[in-house]
Amino acid sequence: MQLIIGNKNYSSWSLRGWLAVKASGLPFEEIVIPLRQDDTKARILAFSPSGKVPCLIEHGLAIWDSLAIAEYLAEVMPSLWPQDASARALARSVSAEMHSGFQSLRSQMPMNIRGRYPDHPVSPEVAQDIQRIEAIWNECRNHFSSGGRYLFGAYSIADMMFAPVCLRFETYGVKLTGLAGDYLQTMLAHPDLLEWIAAALAETDRIVDYEPKQP
Ligand SMILES: N[C@@H](CCC(=O)N[C@@H](CS)C(=O)NCC(=O)O)C(=O)O
């Protein structure tokens, strides 16, 4: 398998797809295409019909979009989702909510692993996004704490979907309390995330568009 991704410091969707491939345990080759270069679009389009990363290639089949990649891998590794059907439905709901929502947080607090902006202003829209994410994390941790310290007990695709948010909360100094705060620390200590962070810290390219914007 080949996984096409963008810069590790900035590409939050790439991180989600990469975490899913890592969790599958399957061997893969990583192809990093730096974003926002003159040849970026053409290079991505050579693999991904959407012109976006991540894109997984297996036996000539292209699977693009982070959630589609996660679902594809869950077919061979069902433990990527919770075993219980109700928990799985809830995990899919919060994953879909992350995948299609939180626009203010995503645009006003871009993922930038190397950056530290604790004084970055928090607009009311971003505060609302943070509040909703905190509520999801608290609710999941309250319900599923007997199975482990991730959202649904064991580490699952739902955690991978929220991983870039955890990194944003570090970058922008967002403080959480209670189980949500504990969850944030659990995620930041996950070995796969630590491996991605180390690679992001080793990158040197700077993309102005992905540096934080004022609300
Ligand atoms: N919904 C897609 C979003 C993919 C996406 O927007 N990826 C960005 C990078 S994080 C991208 O490829 N941008 C293309 C570009 O900047 O040229 C997913 O879940 O994979």
Side-chain angles (χ1 to χ4, degrees):
M1 292 197 302
Q2 291 174 307
L3 184 71
I4 324 304
I5 55 175
N7 317 54
K8 289 190 172 172
N9 189 54
Y10 298 109
S11 186
S12 57
W13 295 110
S14 295
L15 168 58
R16 294 175 172 102
W18 185 88
L19 288 174
V21 181
K22 284 290 278 187
S24 77
L26 298 168
F28 69 105
E29 179 199 357
E30 191 179 289
I31 299 177
V32 180
I33 300 181
L35 301 174
R36 303 299 162 104
Q37 306 294 309
D38 291 345
D39 61 350
T40 298
K41 196 54 95 181
R43 288 187 65 193
I44 296 178
L45 278 169
F47 298 99
S48 171
S50 66
K52 290 189 186 300
V53 287
C55 181
L56 183 69
I57 311 287
E58 188 173 41
H59 307 305
L61 174 70
I63 304 118
W64 63 94
D65 195 293
S66 56
L67 204 45
I69 291 169
E71 288 286 10
Y72 178 76
L73 295 166
E75 289 193 40
V76 286
M77 174 94 30
S79 61
L80 292 180
W81 285 118
Q83 268 189 324
D84 174 73
S86 310
R88 194 161 60 247
L90 196 55
R92 282 199 162 103
S93 296
V94 299
S95 298
E97 183 175 349
M98 177 69 248
H99 190 257
S100 62
F102 305 114
Q103 308 292 351
S104 302
L105 178 82
R106 275 158 46 191
S107 62
Q108 292 174 35
M109 286 186 171
M111 188 174 96
N112 184 343
I113 296 170
R114 291 194 303 265
R116 284 294 176 270
Y117 308 103
D119 299 323
H120 186 67
V122 178
S123 70
E125 298 78 26
V126 171
Q128 221 171 17
D129 281 352
I130 293 172
Q131 211 176 19
R132 173 65 190 143
I133 289 167
E134 194 172 10
I136 291 172
W137 290 1
N138 273 320
E139 202 179 310
C140 288
R141 286 294 319 274
N142 267 316
H143 275 83
F144 299 99
S145 56
S146 62
R149 294 174 72 181
Y150 293 97
L151 290 179
F152 293 87
Y155 181 61
S156 77
I157 290 169
D159 302 297
M160 300 166 203
M161 282 292 140
F162 282 102
V165 172
C166 297
L167 296 174
R168 285 174 160 104
F169 285 178
E170 267 292 274
T171 295
Y172 299 95
V174 174
K175 300 275 176 277
L176 304 176
T177 53
L179 286 174
D182 180 74
Y183 172 67
L184 178 58
Q185 295 313 316
T186 298
M187 281 297 287
L188 293 173
H190 191 284
D192 291 348
L193 203 51
L194 289 174
E195 186 181 327
W196 178 278
I197 292 168
L201 294 178
E203 289 178 348
T204 52
D205 42 348
R206 189 170 180 275
I207 302 178
V208 176
D209 285 354
Y210 292 163
E211 293 297 323
K213 293 174 188 58
Q214 300 303 313

Coordinates of all heavy atoms in Angstrom, one line a residue, residues 6 10-14 16 35-36 40-41 44 51-54 64-67 99 161 210, ligand 1:
G6 N 0.3 15.0 2.9 CA 0.9 16.4 2.8 C 1.9 16.5 4.0 O 2.3 15.6 4.7
Y10 N 1.4 20.4 9.0 CA 0.1 21.2 8.7 C -1.1 20.3 8.2 O -2.2 20.7 8.4 CB 0.4 22.1 7.5 CG 1.4 23.2 7.8 CD1 2.7 23.1 7.2 CD2 1.2 24.3 8.6 CE1 3.6 24.1 7.4 CE2 2.1 25.2 8.9 CZ 3.4 25.2 8.2 OH 4.3 26.1 8.5
S11 N -0.8 19.1 7.7 CA -1.9 18.4 7.0 C -2.7 17.5 8.0 O -2.4 16.4 8.2 CB -1.4 17.6 5.8 OG -2.5 17.1 5.1
S12 N -3.8 18.1 8.5 CA -4.6 17.4 9.5 C -5.3 16.2 8.9 O -5.4 15.2 9.6 CB -5.6 18.4 10.2 OG -6.4 19.0 9.2
W13 N -5.8 16.3 7.7 CA -6.5 15.2 7.1 C -5.6 14.1 6.8 O -5.9 12.9 7.0 CB -7.3 15.6 5.8 CG -8.3 16.6 6.1 CD1 -8.4 18.0 5.8 CD2 -9.5 16.4 6.9 NE1 -9.5 18.6 6.3 CE2 -10.2 17.7 7.0 CE3 -10.1 15.3 7.5 CZ2 -11.5 17.8 7.6 CZ3 -11.3 15.5 8.2 CH2 -12.0 16.7 8.2
S14 N -4.3 14.4 6.4 CA -3.3 13.4 6.2 C -3.1 12.6 7.5 O -3.0 11.4 7.5 CB -2.0 14.0 5.7 OG -2.1 14.6 4.5
R16 N -5.1 12.0 9.9 CA -6.2 11.0 10.2 C -6.0 9.7 9.4 O -6.1 8.6 9.9 CB -7.5 11.7 9.9 CG -7.8 12.9 10.9 CD -9.1 13.6 10.5 NE -9.5 14.6 11.5 CZ -9.4 15.9 11.3 NH1 -8.8 16.4 10.2 NH2 -9.8 16.7 12.3
L35 N 2.5 20.6 0.4 CA 1.3 21.4 0.0 C 1.7 22.8 -0.4 O 2.8 23.3 0.0 CB 0.3 21.5 1.1 CG -0.3 20.1 1.6 CD1 -1.2 20.3 2.8 CD2 -1.0 19.3 0.5
R36 N 0.8 23.5 -1.2 CA 1.0 24.9 -1.6 C 2.3 25.2 -2.4 O 2.8 26.3 -2.2 CB 0.9 25.8 -0.4 CG -0.4 25.7 0.4 CD -1.6 26.0 -0.5 NE -2.8 25.5 0.1 CZ -3.8 26.2 0.7 NH1 -3.6 27.5 0.8 NH2 -4.9 25.7 1.2
T40 N 2.1 21.1 -6.6 CA 1.4 20.3 -5.6 C 0.2 19.6 -6.2 O 0.0 18.4 -6.1 CB 0.9 21.1 -4.4 OG1 2.1 21.6 -3.7 CG2 0.1 20.3 -3.4
K41 N -0.7 20.4 -6.9 CA -1.9 19.9 -7.4 C -1.7 18.7 -8.4 O -2.2 17.7 -8.3 CB -2.8 21.0 -8.1 CG -4.2 20.7 -8.3 CD -5.0 20.2 -7.1 CE -5.7 21.3 -6.3 NZ -6.4 20.8 -5.1
I44 N -0.4 15.6 -6.6 CA -1.5 14.9 -5.9 C -2.4 14.2 -6.9 O -2.8 13.0 -6.8 CB -2.3 15.8 -5.0 CG1 -1.4 16.4 -3.9 CG2 -3.4 15.1 -4.3 CD1 -2.0 17.3 -2.9
G51 N -7.7 15.4 -6.0 CA -6.7 16.4 -5.9 C -6.3 16.8 -4.4 O -5.7 17.8 -4.2
K52 N -6.8 15.9 -3.5 CA -6.5 16.2 -2.1 C -5.9 14.9 -1.5 O -6.0 13.8 -1.9 CB -7.8 16.5 -1.4 CG -8.4 17.8 -1.8 CD -9.6 18.2 -0.9 CE -10.3 19.5 -1.4 NZ -9.4 20.7 -1.4
V53 N -5.2 15.2 -0.4 CA -4.6 14.1 0.4 C -5.4 14.1 1.8 O -5.9 15.1 2.2 CB -3.1 14.4 0.7 CG1 -2.3 14.2 -0.5 CG2 -2.9 15.8 1.3
P54 N -5.4 12.9 2.4 CA -4.7 11.7 2.1 C -5.4 10.9 1.0 O -6.6 11.0 0.7 CB -4.7 10.9 3.4 CG -6.1 11.3 4.0 CD -6.2 12.7 3.6
W64 N -9.6 7.8 -1.6 CA -9.3 9.1 -1.1 C -10.3 9.5 0.0 O -11.4 8.9 0.0 CB -9.2 10.1 -2.3 CG -10.5 10.3 -3.0 CD1 -11.5 11.2 -2.7 CD2 -11.1 9.5 -4.0 NE1 -12.5 11.1 -3.6 CE2 -12.3 10.0 -4.4 CE3 -10.6 8.4 -4.8 CZ2 -13.1 9.5 -5.4 CZ3 -11.4 7.9 -5.8 CH2 -12.6 8.4 -6.1
D65 N -9.9 10.5 0.7 CA -10.7 11.0 1.9 C -10.4 10.2 3.1 O -10.5 9.0 3.1 CB -12.2 11.0 1.6 CG -12.9 11.9 2.5 OD1 -12.9 11.6 3.7 OD2 -13.4 13.0 2.2
S66 N -10.1 10.9 4.2 CA -9.6 10.2 5.4 C -10.6 9.2 6.0 O -10.3 8.1 6.4 CB -9.3 11.3 6.5 OG -10.5 12.1 6.7
L67 N -11.9 9.6 5.9 CA -12.9 8.7 6.5 C -13.1 7.4 5.6 O -13.3 6.3 6.1 CB -14.2 9.4 6.6 CG -15.2 8.9 7.7 CD1 -14.6 8.6 9.0 CD2 -16.4 9.9 7.9
H99 N -15.7 15.1 10.9 CA -15.3 15.2 9.5 C -16.0 16.3 8.7 O -15.5 16.9 7.8 CB -15.7 13.8 8.9 CG -15.1 13.6 7.5 ND1 -15.9 13.7 6.4 CD2 -13.9 13.3 7.1 CE1 -15.2 13.5 5.3 NE2 -13.9 13.3 5.7
M161 N -9.9 10.6 14.3 CA -10.6 11.8 13.7 C -10.3 13.0 14.6 O -10.3 14.1 14.0 CB -12.1 11.5 13.6 CG -12.5 10.6 12.5 SD -12.2 11.5 10.9 CE -11.5 10.2 9.9
Y210 N -1.3 28.4 6.3 CA -1.7 27.5 7.4 C -1.2 28.1 8.7 O -1.3 27.4 9.7 CB -1.1 26.1 7.1 CG -1.8 25.3 6.0 CD1 -1.2 24.2 5.5 CD2 -3.0 25.7 5.5 CE1 -1.8 23.5 4.4 CE2 -3.6 25.1 4.5 CZ -3.0 24.0 3.9 OH -3.6 23.3 2.9
Ligands
LIG1 N1 -12.5 15.6 3.4 C1 -11.1 15.3 3.0 C2 -10.3 16.6 3.1 C3 -8.9 16.5 2.4 C4 -8.2 17.8 2.4 O1 -8.8 18.9 2.4 N2 -6.9 17.8 2.3 C5 -6.0 18.9 2.1 C6 -4.8 18.9 3.0 S1 -5.1 18.8 4.7 C7 -5.5 19.0 0.7 O2 -5.3 18.0 0.1 N3 -5.4 20.2 0.1 C8 -4.9 20.3 -1.2 C9 -4.0 21.5 -1.4 O3 -3.7 22.2 -0.5 O4 -3.6 21.7 -2.6 C10 -10.5 14.2 3.8 O5 -11.2 13.8 4.9 O6 -9.5 13.6 3.5

